[in-house]
């Protein structure tokens, strides 16, 4: 539509006539637009069908903005786009992302690579993302103070609330010498779980196990979800509910 307006402004006499011809074609097709569009989009992917119809919608909008009276309502094409969109299948929701035998997996990782097992344990015990676990292990003096994780920022530069960390886990972090590349860590997890889990699985496991423990302790639902949301560094409880549904 912007291109049509630019053309009219550059050379009104020349392009106005061309736009009238386009409009004449639209009028001609308007009497049987459904049949025409269906014949044009037949065999295309749903995404291509949507883009094709949107192209028509944009062209009609351009004619309207160029003050050319047309016979076809732009809403027709917008409705057509929505009709095609309704045919797009909803993406499959992957579930069962939490690790059921978490201690066994961490133990196997320890045999494979000590540091990978420590990264996994940090992710699981603290509920952090892999990048955040790496920050803690690479610079413990910056992030650990008096058995607390402090100054840790997550996605969107969002600051985590201070987190308790056990002395045992602090000792394991301090014993780390060589830190593997994140891809190597990912590969270690895949090897000990036959490709079933990824680094993010430990975060899902933290969410699910915290929820189960809260239910066992009769923690009120709202209070429990607030706790999980704070642990995961989420800005909204709905995001944590999303995690639990997939865990």
């Amino acid at each position: 539509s912007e291109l049509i307006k630019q053309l009219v402004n550059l050379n009104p006499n020349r392009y106005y006539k061309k736009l009238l011809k386009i409009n004449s074609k639209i009028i001609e097709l308007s009497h049987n637009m459904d049949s025409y569009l269906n014949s044009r989009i037949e065999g295309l992917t749903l995404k291509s069908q949507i883009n094709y119809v949107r192209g028509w919608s944009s062209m009609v909008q351009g004619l309207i903005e160029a003050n050319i009276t047309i016979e076809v309502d732009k809403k027709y094409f917008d409705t057509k786009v929505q009709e095609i969109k309704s045919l797009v299948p909803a993406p499959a929701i992957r579930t069962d992302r939490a690790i059921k035998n978490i201690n066994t997996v961490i133990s196997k990782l320890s045999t494979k690579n000590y540091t990978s097992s420590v990264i996994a344990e940090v992710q699981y015990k603290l509920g952090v993302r892999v990048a955040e676990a790496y920050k803690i292990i690479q610079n413990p003096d910056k992030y650990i103070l008096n058995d607390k994780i402090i100054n840790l920022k997550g996605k969107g530069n969002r600051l985590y609330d201070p987190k308790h960390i056990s002395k045992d886990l602090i000792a394991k972090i301090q014993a780390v010498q060589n830190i593997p590349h994140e891809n190597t860590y990912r590969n270690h997890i895949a090897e000990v779980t036959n490709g079933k889990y990824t680094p993010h699985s430990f975060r899902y496991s933290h969410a699910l196990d915290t929820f189960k423990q809260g239910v066992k302790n009769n923690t009120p639902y709202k209070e429990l979800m607030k706790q999980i949301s704070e642990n995961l560094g989420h800005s909204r409880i709905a995001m944590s509910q999303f995690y639990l549904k997939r865990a």
Side-chain angles (χ1 to χ4, degrees), residues 12 18 53 82 107 126 134 136 180 198 245:
K18 290 190 175 183
V53 179
Q82 294 306 316
S107 177
L126 302 179
Y134 267 75
I136 295 168
T198 69
K245 287 178 182 178

Side-chain angles (χ1 to χ4, degrees), residues 65-124:
E65 293 175 8
N67 296 317
I68 296 177
T69 303
I70 59 173
E71 296 291 327
V72 180
D73 191 337
K74 179 180 176 293
K75 290 181 181 178
Y76 166 83
F77 298 102
D78 296 337
T79 300
K80 188 73 174 177
V81 166
Q82 294 306 316
E83 288 177 0
I84 299 171
K85 276 187 173 182
S86 69
L87 301 176
V88 178
I93 297 175
R94 184 186 165 192
T95 57
D96 198 28
R97 293 189 176 189
I99 302 171
K100 292 182 174 62
N101 51 342
I102 189 80
N103 291 327
T104 300
V105 170
I106 291 176
S107 177
K108 286 181 178 179
L109 275 174
S110 183
T111 303
K112 187 80 179 174
N113 181 280
Y114 172 76
T115 306
S116 286
S117 72
V118 176
I119 299 169
E121 193 167 350
V122 167
Q123 280 201 267
Y124 173 61

Side-chain angles (χ1 to χ4, degrees), residues 23-235:
N23 189 40
S24 296
K25 184 64 176 176
I26 292 176
I27 293 171
E28 179 186 333
L29 294 171
S30 66
H31 303 297
N32 204 10
M33 185 59 79
D34 268 329
S35 296
Y36 174 77
L37 278 182
N38 290 337
S39 68
R40 298 294 294 175
I41 65 179
E42 185 178 1
L44 299 180
T45 64
L46 292 176
K47 183 177 180 180
S48 296
Q49 290 181 29
I50 290 170
N51 289 337
Y52 181 83
V53 179
R54 277 179 174 162
W56 273 90
S57 178
S58 180
M59 182 171 63
V60 169
Q61 181 64 30
L63 292 170
I64 293 171
E65 293 175 8
N67 296 317
I68 296 177
T69 303
I70 59 173
E71 296 291 327
V72 180
D73 191 337
K74 179 180 176 293
K75 290 181 181 178
Y76 166 83
F77 298 102
D78 296 337
T79 300
K80 188 73 174 177
V81 166
Q82 294 306 316
E83 288 177 0
I84 299 171
K85 276 187 173 182
S86 69
L87 301 176
V88 178
I93 297 175
R94 184 186 165 192
T95 57
D96 198 28
R97 293 189 176 189
I99 302 171
K100 292 182 174 62
N101 51 342
I102 189 80
N103 291 327
T104 300
V105 170
I106 291 176
S107 177
K108 286 181 178 179
L109 275 174
S110 183
T111 303
K112 187 80 179 174
N113 181 280
Y114 172 76
T115 306
S116 286
S117 72
V118 176
I119 299 169
E121 193 167 350
V122 167
Q123 280 201 267
Y124 173 61
K125 294 288 179 62
L126 302 179
V128 295
R129 300 174 182 87
V130 61
E132 296 149 15
Y134 267 75
K135 285 181 184 179
I136 295 168
I137 293 171
Q138 289 169 340
N139 199 347
D141 291 339
K142 178 179 178 180
Y143 295 107
I144 301 176
L145 179 66
N146 298 329
D147 299 344
K148 294 278 187 181
I149 297 295
I150 59 170
N151 301 323
L152 183 65
K153 291 183 179 179
K155 249 183 188 179
N157 216 29
R158 182 177 174 81
L159 186 67
Y160 280 95
D161 290 337
K163 292 170 171 283
H164 173 75
I165 180 171
S166 68
K167 293 185 183 298
D168 177 63
L169 187 51
I170 292 173
K172 289 179 181 178
I173 292 172
Q174 291 172 338
V176 166
Q177 294 182 348
N178 299 312
I179 302 175
H181 188 277
E182 187 177 324
N183 287 339
T184 303
Y185 169 54
R186 184 179 297 275
N187 289 337
H188 287 161
I189 294 170
E191 287 170 16
V192 302
T193 64
N194 296 319
K196 185 174 182 181
Y197 299 112
T198 69
H200 216 64
S201 301
F202 293 97
R203 193 163 148 89
Y204 278 107
S205 301
H206 172 88
L208 183 60
D209 289 353
T210 302
F211 182 79
K212 286 180 176 178
Q213 187 61 48
V215 171
K216 187 177 179 181
N217 295 340
N218 296 316
T219 305
Y221 177 77
K222 287 186 178 180
E223 181 184 330
L224 179 55
M225 289 309 304
K226 184 175 182 294
Q227 177 193 341
I228 293 172
S229 185
E230 289 173 354
N231 288 356
L232 297 176
H234 286 158
S235 59

